Amino acid sequence: MTNKIRKIGILTAGGDCPGLNAVVRAVSKNALRQGIEVIGFKNGFEGLVKNEFIKINDFIASGILTLGGTILGTSNIANPFKYMQEPYGTPENPVDVSNIAIKNFEDNKLDALVTIGGDGTLSMSQQFVEKGIPIVGVPKTIDNDLSATDQTFGFDSALAIATEAVDRIHTTAQSHHRAMIVETMGRYAGWLALRSGIAGGGDIILIPEIPYSEDVIVQTIETRKAKGKNFSIIVVSEGAKNESGEMVIAKTIAGSTDAIRLGGVGQRISQMIECRAGIESRYCILGHVQRGGSPTAYDRLLSTRYGAKALDLIIEGKTKNMVSLQGTQIKDVLIKDAVSKLKLVDPHGQEVHAAVSIGTSFGSKEIG
Amino acid sequence: MTNKIRKIGILTAGGDCPGLNAVVRAVSKNALRQGIEVIGFKNGFEGLVKNEFIKINDFIASGILTLGGTILGTSNIANPFKYMQEPYGTPENPVDVSNIAIKNFEDNKLDALVTIGGDGTLSMSQQFVEKGIPIVGVPKTIDNDLSATDQTFGFDSALAIATEAVDRIHTTAQSHHRAMIVETMGRYAGWLALRSGIAGGGDIILIPEIPYSEDVIVQTIETRKAKGKNFSIIVVSEGAKNESGEMVIAKTIAGSTDAIRLGGVGQRISQMIECRAGIESRYCILGHVQRGGSPTAYDRLLSTRYGAKALDLIIEGKTKNMVSLQGTQIKDVLIKDAVSKLKLVDPHGQEVHAAVSIGTSFGSKEIG
Amino acid sequence: MTNKIRKIGILTAGGDCPGLNAVVRAVSKNALRQGIEVIGFKNGFEGLVKNEFIKINDFIASGILTLGGTILGTSNIANPFKYMQEPYGTPENPVDVSNIAIKNFEDNKLDALVTIGGDGTLSMSQQFVEKGIPIVGVPKTIDNDLSATDQTFGFDSALAIATEAVDRIHTTAQSHHRAMIVETMGRYAGWLALRSGIAGGGDIILIPEIPYSEDVIVQTIETRKAKGKNFSIIVVSEGAKNESGEMVIAKTIAGSTDAIRLGGVGQRISQMIECRAGIESRYCILGHVQRGGSPTAYDRLLSTRYGAKALDLIIEGKTKNMVSLQGTQIKDVLIKDAVSKLKLVDPHGQEVHAAVSIGTSFGSKEIG
Amino acid sequence: MTNKIRKIGILTAGGDCPGLNAVVRAVSKNALRQGIEVIGFKNGFEGLVKNEFIKINDFIASGILTLGGTILGTSNIANPFKYMQEPYGTPENPVDVSNIAIKNFEDNKLDALVTIGGDGTLSMSQQFVEKGIPIVGVPKTIDNDLSATDQTFGFDSALAIATEAVDRIHTTAQSHHRAMIVETMGRYAGWLALRSGIAGGGDIILIPEIPYSEDVIVQTIETRKAKGKNFSIIVVSEGAKNESGEMVIAKTIAGSTDAIRLGGVGQRISQMIECRAGIESRYCILGHVQRGGSPTAYDRLLSTRYGAKALDLIIEGKTKNMVSLQGTQIKDVLIKDAVSKLKLVDPHGQEVHAAVSIGTSFGSKEIG
């Protein structure tokens, strides 16, 4: 079957994530070794629309395993089905330019496309699959919130960075007798806060899946003080909600000359604690450092296995599929079965249970 | 059922490993929270024989999550069934003092024991189980070679250290146009060399499960040179064997006044390459740095989940069992089904296949 | 002379800083070795006022070299000369309780006090010196802005953390073609932004000592784009000022129920760039992670040398003095000559010149 | 004066060292900004002899700041004055081909050469200076043993790596009650062992400048045991000597089929301790990992300042000179005043004194 594949395309889309280059490398090396040509579209689907690409040879595919970011560039706005960029569309008038993308795919005589991205990228990939384009998807999120795979690459690296930050904050909290808050990424799923909270020994962990009660937070801090522990570490997902379901995402009021900003949940909780628990509090928003830098060994391995497998799937003709980690094996699932299904933390699952059993609070009356 | 458990013991045995303290902490916190007393035996089974222990309270169990080593101490020689230490036995005349250990267990009114260790520790644990002692085992190896669990804690940390070393060696190899050899731990199983080799972009990976041919190694280096790649990275398990099944473990000739030492496999391969491939070569034995230091986020999480679960199992009365990672879940297996079954790298499995598909050599004519 | 010193006190004051424990350890070990008793006051000068302390023995002084934070606790509000805490004073009515502190010093039969802190701590120390208390100061700031020493401990660790963050941000900036802003600590002195900017390869560095022009920033980004470099890294001190001398420190509007916050300079510059340079921009405030965690090798060494020297000075009777790094040697200066003199970045000095000469912009028409 | 300089060459020679690329980048960026052409000779002086070079443009000089190794390649054998490589010489018959090198310098119309290397590189540079070639040297050693500068770049990175290894070994030593030995680089000067020993909290530090007594080592370990500290960390330079002045450098017996190797000093001391102190001992040779990988922030800064200054010196016509760190300033010295003068640890200097004063042993009856 191998002889049918002569040339493939590859692109990276969505937010930056450690391991993107490792996937590009593995796909390309596996292909080049078998005499298959590889071109890399620039800046996600934008390159497919504009037909901007580089030819990937062995020289380009080498030495990028450990490199953060993506040598292909990425975009988290370019959507060929709702294209908002010139010369085709505008943010107000997005247009469907998928036929242009498909024409470029065909003009380049590609046999298949590898798309590396998160849920948005997979959705667009599925739309192209439905229009007949052979695609293999590779799942990527910092948040680890894709349901069709045990883990996405990039998450372990983000976890390492967040955990290191919690470690650093720990010493300051202890020295100053403060409640220190670390706000991690995770708008819908709390994996990053949950796991960095457990790994960093956080006292309170707040995640979107378990609405928090301010009372319980204050009570937890006070109970700790009563035991002689006059500091607390709170790890909070940016998307953590209170009991009423309110989320306090940081955002800037557009057009404001004074750079007025509605603070995020980390800031909100910090102020609440200072007011109600009578203890000094500081917060720290980790932000984009969670997305950058060299991937961990785990992520390099997962990325390499994903990339190598993606090419294998192309050769097997499984080109409506996404690679997926299941236990210790890389398997595949249909892209259509993978999109739009968030993998959330189970409030009654093992990890939350383990955290509760060693005394961690989730700021909730129900859990723990 | 909970009210039956009043007091437990815990011990860490075998070689040092990142995450030991994290397990001790999780077991203890889970127990103390439920009013269960915890004592920690010193230096593995030696403490059980000598009845040397500390009482673990909340103060002792706190702040040790990130700490390398074990606050309880460990021993990799003390075996109550073949005890070689004074005052009972000698290396020449090991004696069975398990009845003393059992008496100490009973005199301390323990309801169960948590043993944290590798295959040797689990074997002894099973022997105690057969004599009626309720035990929960927690699997630990740097080598990840226990078959009854997807992963042992400590391995991810060792992998991170080994991968960082391969990264460092990479730049020197390139700058000097050398063949650089990194020798990792792994006497029987090649997991550490395999995964740090893939994660570090090694060109040649040599593991016990795939006997190597010197010819293939030389040929690989020469093929690379012919392509303009005038350096090579070789990652090798200390237990790698050649085609004749010979292993070249480093050892010192006892009694030698000149400290004569038979070099290990890394040195052997390095010399062979200098002689046969006409390229400068250096080797580096990672050694004990792979065992020490603060655990990675992954290992802290796994250790915490293992420890919390171990106490849960005690309460459930599953005290002939070992905690075990299966996919994303912590489950349990009978200790007797876990011991003495090595988990080896499958030469025809996914990880080797992925490495081969991106051009990695295993120094073998058969593989790749 | 040694026999005159029998007992000393030690305290850590001001903000958390990597290396505090290393100084405490070195002072204590040097003292204990010579039979000198050591007590450590809790939470900075607060412990001296309240007479709260621990006796430091060899056990306590051991194993803390690598530990972030301070085992003694710290406070950055307790000032015995303007004491705002109960039962003596309030924030509205600070009172002078220095006589109580002095009485405690005398009642404990101390021969000298080691105070570890920044400019505020040194100022209070000088006031005590003037009242006859023998003191040796050890200079500590994250900002490196004390003029009487070439370097303060803690700065190298903060620099390492900030530089790592710039590295991480770099890959994201490149992948997304963004202007990424990293806001470091440094309200008055730009050392941290300057050095992490150079070490991280920042394209634009904004520091308090060199007022920035928005025009120059925009122009620099556009010139880079014209050269095909469609991303920029901007490293900015929290205290950076614009040409009119305005500083935009982040602060929260007290009493606001909506957690309204005036954004800091990083946010301000980010918004300005999005508006004026037509390039996506994100910012990241490093915050408290710069203060925590294990010190770098450099800082452990400097802290150890400072601590050992502090005790030597006590024995020599130089107890109006502060240890000071001058070149490669630890010397001493009078505390009164050290306080209230900021060490600022020289806009015409070597480091700025080196940065400019390799193409770095300081956002200024005058410099570079 | 600037208009006289039109084109320069640059080369990196000697062993690999973190920061080489950072120097190449700074020299090149400073030159290119002023319209000066830059060529980089490949593999140290070998490229000058063979006239092998690359033209360095802005693209090549960018993005290499954080990269370990050297993009130019290096050689630690190529000496134009005793050239041992074909087609000119052999190891048995080295020949002087400096006239060829000089002809290449002239044919390329170079105005000056920047040589980055250690003592050997500086010696050759001085020989070329004496033959009329304008050269600026940049001092580089892992060992920090050049006397004409306060610090060489690369040392801080090696120190960080060695210290991290000592940290890791520490936890294992404690857990197993062992004497653990870490052997660092440093054949003649003990800086790396001294500083990583202090920074890592080593109990015994052995360096070439202070001959060690086996008796004192054993005694120190036993004294520690008597105090309840049943482990010891020994940090030893590879060039440490005993009282008789014997050095035990690891080497392989040439031609041996059994890969017989005379162990180094770390192994020797380890065996001695096992025999004489009755305590388990393990050793670890750090080796080449000390040379590789991304430079620390400190080294990137120093390298950048050195590189920028080297080009400044060329423009000033100071082309018999070497850049040199003196206190906080980069100055310059004549290369001839810099070569062949080792900077050794002063056994009676501040750093040894500080270490002794906190209880560190140097294995010597005289010191401490």
Side-chain angles (χ1 to χ4, degrees):
Chain A
M1 220 168 352
T2 307
N3 55 351
K4 283 168 38 192
I5 306 298
R6 292 209 181 79
K7 189 175 178 186
I8 62 164
I10 184 168
L11 61 81
T12 55
D16 187 22
C17 182
L20 287 167
N21 283 323
V23 180
V24 171
R25 169 184 177 265
V27 171
S28 302
K29 288 204 160 192
N30 195 355
L32 295 169
R33 188 185 52 92
Q34 303 183 57
I36 298 168
E37 271 186 82
V38 185
I39 63 174
F41 289 102
K42 289 185 181 176
N43 309 323
F45 285 105
E46 195 174 305
L48 189 61
V49 171
K50 294 185 173 172
N51 203 27
E52 290 178 352
F53 59 83
I54 57 168
K55 196 168 151 43
I56 301 183
N57 56 23
D58 187 58
F59 178 77
I60 287 173
S62 293
I64 61 173
L65 170 62
T66 65
L67 218 63
T70 162
I71 59 165
L72 298 179
T74 186
S75 164
N76 41 14
I77 49 168
N79 177 348
F81 298 92
K82 286 181 178 176
Y83 200 74
M84 304 185 295
Q85 287 94 319
E86 296 181 348
Y88 305 107
T90 63
E92 293 73 30
N93 270 316
V95 295
D96 182 341
V97 295
S98 59
N99 57 330
I100 299 175
I102 292 171
K103 186 169 185 308
N104 288 333
F105 178 89
E106 288 164 351
D107 287 354
N108 282 306
K109 297 195 196 315
L110 298 183
D111 296 307
L113 185 65
V114 175
T115 59
I116 310 169
D119 192 56
T121 303
L122 292 173
S123 297
M124 296 179 226
S125 300
Q126 177 57 20
Q127 288 180 276
F128 277 117
V129 163
E130 286 164 14
K131 287 177 172 255
I133 303 295
I135 290 185
V136 173
V138 180
K140 171 226 74 165
T141 71
I142 292 295
D143 295 341
N144 201 31
D145 58 0
L146 289 182
S147 64
T149 183
D150 282 358
Q151 191 145 335
T152 45
F153 75 86
F155 176 74
D156 189 69
S157 301
L159 175 60
I161 298 165
T163 303
E164 194 192 303
V166 177
D167 284 354
R168 293 195 183 286
I169 291 299
H170 227 119
T171 71
T172 296
Q174 277 180 298
S175 302
H176 282 282
H177 317 314
R178 283 176 179 159
M180 297 288 289
I181 291 138
V182 178
E183 184 182 315
T184 70
M185 287 192 168
R187 193 155 293 196
Y188 307 110
W191 296 108
L192 201 48
L194 173 65
R195 292 196 179 159
S196 66
I198 297 176
D203 304 302
I204 301 173
I205 297 174
L206 307 178
I207 57 176
E209 295 88 341
I210 304 178
Y212 64 83
S213 146
E214 295 191 353
D215 292 349
V216 176
I217 295 172
V218 171
Q219 205 170 28
T220 305
I221 292 170
E222 286 175 347
T223 305
R224 281 178 58 80
K225 268 207 293 193
K227 285 187 195 163
K229 301 194 167 182
N230 46 17
F231 72 95
S232 292
I233 303 290
I234 296 125
V235 184
V236 52
S237 296
E238 61 175 328
K241 283 176 268 196
N242 68 15
E243 291 165 315
S244 320
E246 290 167 355
M247 208 187 282
V248 195
I249 299 286
K251 61 170 175 250
T252 304
I253 298 173
S256 162
T257 51
D258 281 332
I260 297 292
R261 178 177 178 276
L262 294 174
V265 65
Q267 184 181 356
R268 169 76 70 103
I269 303 246
S270 178
Q271 290 171 343
M272 184 275 293
I273 289 171
E274 290 223 334
C275 291
R276 295 193 46 194
I279 176 171
E280 250 194 352
S281 177
R282 297 284 185 279
Y283 70 98
C284 190
I285 301 169
L286 297 187
H288 283 83
V289 290
Q290 292 165 93
R291 290 193 169 284
S294 186
T296 58
Y298 180 100
D299 272 339
R300 294 186 200 173
L301 205 59
L302 184 59
S303 300
T304 299
R305 292 179 69 189
Y306 273 166
K309 180 75 174 184
L311 201 276
D312 289 352
L313 289 178
I314 288 174
I315 289 171
E316 291 169 28
K318 289 183 146 185
T319 48
K320 301 173 177 180
N321 299 51
M322 181 187 93
V323 296
S324 152
L325 178 69
Q326 295 176 28
T328 62
Q329 299 297 299
I330 310 291
K331 302 194 170 171
D332 64 276
V333 296
L334 287 172
I335 297 174
K336 78 171 157 62
D337 294 338
V339 293
S340 303
K341 285 172 200 155
L342 277 184
K343 181 177 64 183
L344 300 179
V345 173
D346 178 359
H348 304 288
Q350 277 202 342
E351 293 186 55
V352 170
H353 172 74
V356 167
S357 74
I358 59 166
T360 314
S361 167
F362 284 84
S364 159
K365 283 162 203 141
E366 281 73 36
I367 305 290
Chain B
M1 225 174 341
T2 307
N3 56 350
K4 284 169 38 193
I5 306 297
R6 294 209 180 78
K7 189 174 177 187
I8 62 164
I10 185 166
L11 61 81
T12 55
D16 188 23
C17 183
L20 286 167
N21 283 324
V23 179
V24 171
R25 169 183 177 267
V27 171
S28 302
K29 289 205 158 190
N30 195 354
L32 294 169
R33 188 184 53 90
Q34 303 183 57
I36 299 169
E37 271 187 82
V38 186
I39 64 173
F41 290 102
K42 288 186 182 175
N43 308 322
F45 285 105
E46 197 174 303
L48 189 59
V49 172
K50 295 186 173 172
N51 203 26
E52 290 179 352
F53 58 83
I54 57 170
K55 195 168 152 44
I56 301 183
N57 55 24
D58 187 58
F59 179 77
I60 287 173
S62 292
I64 62 173
L65 171 62
T66 65
L67 217 64
T70 162
I71 59 164
L72 298 179
T74 186
S75 164
N76 41 14
I77 49 168
N79 177 348
F81 299 92
K82 287 181 179 174
Y83 200 74
M84 305 186 295
Q85 287 94 319
E86 297 180 348
Y88 305 108
T90 62
E92 293 73 31
N93 269 317
V95 296
D96 183 341
V97 294
S98 58
N99 56 329
I100 299 175
I102 292 171
K103 186 168 185 311
N104 288 332
F105 178 90
E106 288 164 352
D107 287 354
N108 282 306
K109 299 195 195 313
L110 298 183
D111 296 308
L113 185 66
V114 175
T115 61
I116 311 168
D119 193 55
T121 303
L122 292 173
S123 297
M124 295 178 227
S125 299
Q126 177 57 21
Q127 288 180 275
F128 277 117
V129 163
E130 286 165 13
K131 286 177 173 257
I133 303 296
I135 289 185
V136 173
V138 180
K140 170 227 74 167
T141 72
I142 292 296
D143 295 341
N144 201 30
D145 58 0
L146 288 183
S147 64
T149 184
D150 282 359
Q151 191 144 336
T152 46
F153 75 86
F155 176 74
D156 189 69
S157 302
L159 175 61
I161 298 165
T163 302
E164 194 192 303
V166 177
D167 284 356
R168 294 196 183 285
I169 290 298
H170 227 119
T171 71
T172 297
Q174 277 180 299
S175 303
H176 282 283
H177 317 314
R178 283 175 180 160
M180 297 289 288
I181 291 137
V182 177
E183 185 182 315
T184 70
M185 287 194 168
R187 194 155 292 194
Y188 307 109
W191 295 108
L192 200 48
L194 173 65
R195 292 194 180 160
S196 65
I198 296 176
D203 304 301
I204 301 173
I205 297 173
L206 307 178
I207 57 176
E209 294 89 341
I210 304 178
Y212 65 83
S213 148
E214 296 191 350
D215 293 350
V216 175
I217 295 172
V218 171
Q219 206 170 26
T220 304
I221 292 170
E222 286 175 346
T223 305
R224 282 179 58 82
K225 268 207 294 194
K227 285 185 194 162
K229 300 192 168 183
N230 45 18
F231 72 95
S232 292
I233 303 290
I234 296 125
V235 183
V236 53
S237 295
E238 61 175 329
K241 283 176 269 195
N242 68 15
E243 290 165 315
S244 319
E246 289 166 358
M247 208 187 280
V248 196
I249 300 285
K251 63 168 175 253
T252 305
I253 298 173
S256 162
T257 51
D258 282 333
I260 297 294
R261 177 176 179 277
L262 293 174
V265 64
Q267 183 180 358
R268 169 76 72 101
I269 304 242
S270 178
Q271 290 170 344
M272 186 276 293
I273 289 171
E274 289 224 332
C275 290
R276 294 193 47 193
I279 177 171
E280 250 193 351
S281 178
R282 296 285 185 278
Y283 70 98
C284 190
I285 302 170
L286 298 187
H288 282 82
V289 289
Q290 292 165 94
R291 289 193 170 283
S294 186
T296 58
Y298 180 100
D299 271 340
R300 294 187 201 173
L301 205 58
L302 184 59
S303 300
T304 299
R305 292 180 67 189
Y306 273 167
K309 179 76 174 184
L311 201 276
D312 289 351
L313 289 178
I314 288 174
I315 289 171
E316 291 169 29
K318 289 185 147 184
T319 49
K320 302 173 176 180
N321 299 49
M322 182 187 94
V323 297
S324 152
L325 178 69
Q326 295 176 30
T328 62
Q329 297 298 299
I330 309 290
K331 302 195 170 170
D332 64 276
V333 296
L334 288 172
I335 297 174
K336 78 172 156 64
D337 294 337
V339 292
S340 304
K341 285 173 200 154
L342 278 183
K343 181 176 63 183
L344 300 178
V345 174
D346 178 359
H348 305 288
Q350 276 202 344
E351 294 186 52
V352 171
H353 172 75
V356 167
S357 76
I358 60 166
T360 315
S361 168
F362 284 83
S364 158
K365 283 162 203 141
E366 281 73 36
I367 305 291
Chain C
M1 218 170 352
T2 308
N3 55 350
K4 284 169 34 194
I5 305 298
R6 293 210 181 79
K7 190 175 177 187
I8 63 164
I10 184 167
L11 61 81
T12 55
D16 188 23
C17 182
L20 287 167
N21 283 322
V23 179
V24 171
R25 170 184 177 265
V27 171
S28 302
K29 287 205 160 192
N30 195 355
L32 294 170
R33 189 185 51 91
Q34 303 183 57
I36 298 168
E37 270 186 83
V38 185
I39 63 174
F41 290 102
K42 288 186 182 175
N43 308 324
F45 285 105
E46 196 174 303
L48 189 60
V49 171
K50 294 186 174 173
N51 203 27
E52 290 179 352
F53 59 84
I54 57 169
K55 194 167 150 47
I56 301 183
N57 56 23
D58 187 57
F59 179 78
I60 287 173
S62 293
I64 61 172
L65 170 62
T66 66
L67 218 62
T70 162
I71 58 165
L72 298 179
T74 185
S75 163
N76 41 15
I77 49 167
N79 178 348
F81 298 92
K82 287 181 179 175
Y83 199 75
M84 305 186 295
Q85 287 93 320
E86 297 180 346
Y88 306 107
T90 63
E92 293 72 31
N93 270 315
V95 296
D96 183 341
V97 294
S98 58
N99 56 330
I100 299 176
I102 291 171
K103 186 167 185 309
N104 287 333
F105 178 89
E106 287 165 352
D107 287 353
N108 282 307
K109 298 194 195 309
L110 298 184
D111 296 308
L113 185 66
V114 175
T115 60
I116 311 169
D119 193 55
T121 303
L122 292 173
S123 298
M124 296 178 226
S125 300
Q126 177 58 20
Q127 289 179 273
F128 277 116
V129 163
E130 285 164 14
K131 287 178 171 257
I133 303 295
I135 289 185
V136 173
V138 179
K140 171 227 74 167
T141 71
I142 292 294
D143 295 341
N144 201 30
D145 59 359
L146 288 182
S147 64
T149 183
D150 282 359
Q151 190 145 335
T152 46
F153 75 87
F155 176 74
D156 190 67
S157 302
L159 175 60
I161 298 166
T163 302
E164 195 192 302
V166 177
D167 284 356
R168 293 196 182 285
I169 290 299
H170 226 119
T171 71
T172 296
Q174 276 181 300
S175 302
H176 282 281
H177 317 314
R178 283 176 179 160
M180 297 288 289
I181 291 137
V182 178
E183 185 181 315
T184 70
M185 287 194 167
R187 193 154 293 195
Y188 307 109
W191 294 108
L192 201 48
L194 172 65
R195 292 196 180 159
S196 65
I198 297 176
D203 304 302
I204 301 173
I205 297 172
L206 307 178
I207 57 176
E209 295 88 341
I210 305 178
Y212 65 83
S213 146
E214 295 191 352
D215 293 349
V216 175
I217 294 173
V218 171
Q219 205 170 29
T220 304
I221 291 170
E222 286 175 346
T223 305
R224 281 178 58 80
K225 267 207 294 196
K227 285 185 194 164
K229 298 190 169 187
N230 45 19
F231 72 96
S232 292
I233 304 289
I234 296 125
V235 184
V236 53
S237 295
E238 60 176 329
K241 284 177 268 195
N242 68 15
E243 290 166 316
S244 320
E246 290 167 356
M247 206 185 283
V248 196
I249 299 285
K251 63 169 175 250
T252 304
I253 299 174
S256 163
T257 51
D258 281 333
I260 298 292
R261 177 177 178 277
L262 293 173
V265 65
Q267 184 180 355
R268 168 76 71 104
I269 303 241
S270 178
Q271 290 171 341
M272 185 276 292
I273 289 171
E274 289 223 333
C275 290
R276 294 192 46 193
I279 177 173
E280 248 193 353
S281 179
R282 296 285 184 280
Y283 70 99
C284 190
I285 302 170
L286 298 187
H288 283 83
V289 289
Q290 293 165 92
R291 290 194 170 283
S294 186
T296 58
Y298 180 100
D299 272 339
R300 295 187 200 173
L301 205 58
L302 184 59
S303 300
T304 300
R305 293 179 68 187
Y306 273 166
K309 180 76 174 183
L311 201 275
D312 289 352
L313 290 178
I314 288 174
I315 289 172
E316 291 169 29
K318 290 184 146 184
T319 48
K320 301 173 177 181
N321 299 51
M322 182 188 93
V323 296
S324 153
L325 178 69
Q326 296 176 30
T328 62
Q329 298 297 298
I330 310 291
K331 302 194 171 171
D332 63 276
V333 296
L334 288 172
I335 297 175
K336 78 169 156 61
D337 294 338
V339 293
S340 303
K341 284 172 200 155
L342 277 184
K343 180 175 66 182
L344 299 179
V345 173
D346 178 359
H348 305 287
Q350 276 202 344
E351 293 186 55
V352 171
H353 172 74
V356 167
S357 74
I358 60 165
T360 314
S361 167
F362 284 83
S364 159
K365 282 162 202 140
E366 280 74 35
I367 304 290
Chain D
M1 223 173 343
T2 307
N3 57 349
K4 283 170 37 194
I5 306 297
R6 293 209 181 78
K7 189 176 178 186
I8 63 164
I10 184 167
L11 61 82
T12 55
D16 187 22
C17 184
L20 287 167
N21 283 324
V23 179
V24 170
R25 169 183 177 267
V27 171
S28 302
K29 288 204 158 190
N30 195 354
L32 294 169
R33 188 185 51 92
Q34 303 183 57
I36 299 168
E37 270 186 83
V38 186
I39 64 174
F41 290 102
K42 287 186 183 175
N43 308 323
F45 285 106
E46 196 174 303
L48 189 61
V49 172
K50 294 185 172 171
N51 203 25
E52 290 178 353
F53 59 83
I54 56 169
K55 194 167 153 43
I56 300 182
N57 56 25
D58 187 58
F59 179 77
I60 287 173
S62 293
I64 61 173
L65 170 62
T66 65
L67 217 63
T70 162
I71 59 165
L72 299 179
T74 185
S75 164
N76 41 12
I77 49 168
N79 178 347
F81 298 92
K82 286 181 179 175
Y83 200 74
M84 304 185 297
Q85 287 93 320
E86 297 181 349
Y88 305 107
T90 63
E92 293 73 31
N93 271 315
V95 295
D96 183 341
V97 295
S98 57
N99 56 332
I100 299 176
I102 291 171
K103 186 168 185 308
N104 288 332
F105 179 90
E106 288 165 351
D107 287 355
N108 283 306
K109 298 193 194 316
L110 298 184
D111 295 308
L113 185 65
V114 175
T115 61
I116 311 168
D119 193 56
T121 302
L122 292 173
S123 297
M124 296 179 225
S125 299
Q126 176 58 20
Q127 288 178 277
F128 277 116
V129 163
E130 285 164 14
K131 288 179 172 253
I133 304 296
I135 289 184
V136 172
V138 180
K140 170 227 74 168
T141 71
I142 292 294
D143 295 341
N144 201 30
D145 58 359
L146 288 182
S147 64
T149 183
D150 282 358
Q151 190 144 334
T152 46
F153 75 85
F155 176 74
D156 189 68
S157 302
L159 175 60
I161 298 165
T163 302
E164 193 192 303
V166 177
D167 283 355
R168 292 195 183 287
I169 290 299
H170 227 118
T171 71
T172 297
Q174 277 181 297
S175 302
H176 282 283
H177 317 313
R178 283 176 179 159
M180 298 288 290
I181 291 137
V182 178
E183 184 182 315
T184 70
M185 287 193 169
R187 195 155 291 195
Y188 306 110
W191 296 107
L192 200 49
L194 173 65
R195 293 195 179 161
S196 65
I198 296 176
D203 304 300
I204 302 173
I205 297 173
L206 307 178
I207 57 176
E209 295 88 342
I210 304 179
Y212 66 83
S213 147
E214 295 190 352
D215 292 350
V216 175
I217 294 172
V218 171
Q219 207 170 25
T220 304
I221 292 170
E222 286 175 346
T223 305
R224 282 179 57 81
K225 268 208 293 193
K227 284 187 194 163
K229 301 192 168 183
N230 45 18
F231 72 96
S232 291
I233 303 290
I234 297 125
V235 183
V236 52
S237 295
E238 61 176 329
K241 283 175 268 195
N242 68 14
E243 291 165 314
S244 319
E246 290 167 358
M247 206 187 281
V248 196
I249 299 286
K251 63 170 175 250
T252 305
I253 299 174
S256 161
T257 51
D258 281 332
I260 299 292
R261 178 177 178 276
L262 293 174
V265 64
Q267 184 180 356
R268 169 76 71 104
I269 303 244
S270 177
Q271 290 171 344
M272 185 275 292
I273 288 171
E274 289 224 333
C275 290
R276 294 193 47 192
I279 177 173
E280 252 194 350
S281 178
R282 297 284 184 280
Y283 69 98
C284 190
I285 303 170
L286 298 187
H288 283 84
V289 290
Q290 292 165 93
R291 290 194 169 284
S294 186
T296 57
Y298 180 101
D299 271 339
R300 294 186 200 173
L301 205 59
L302 184 59
S303 300
T304 299
R305 292 179 68 189
Y306 272 167
K309 179 76 174 183
L311 201 275
D312 289 352
L313 289 179
I314 288 175
I315 288 171
E316 293 168 29
K318 289 185 146 184
T319 48
K320 301 172 176 180
N321 298 49
M322 181 187 93
V323 296
S324 153
L325 178 69
Q326 295 175 31
T328 61
Q329 298 298 300
I330 310 290
K331 303 195 170 171
D332 65 275
V333 295
L334 288 172
I335 297 175
K336 78 170 156 63
D337 294 337
V339 293
S340 303
K341 284 174 200 154
L342 278 184
K343 180 176 65 180
L344 300 179
V345 174
D346 178 359
H348 305 288
Q350 275 202 344
E351 293 186 54
V352 170
H353 172 75
V356 167
S357 75
I358 59 165
T360 315
S361 168
F362 284 83
S364 158
K365 282 162 205 141
E366 281 73 35
I367 305 290

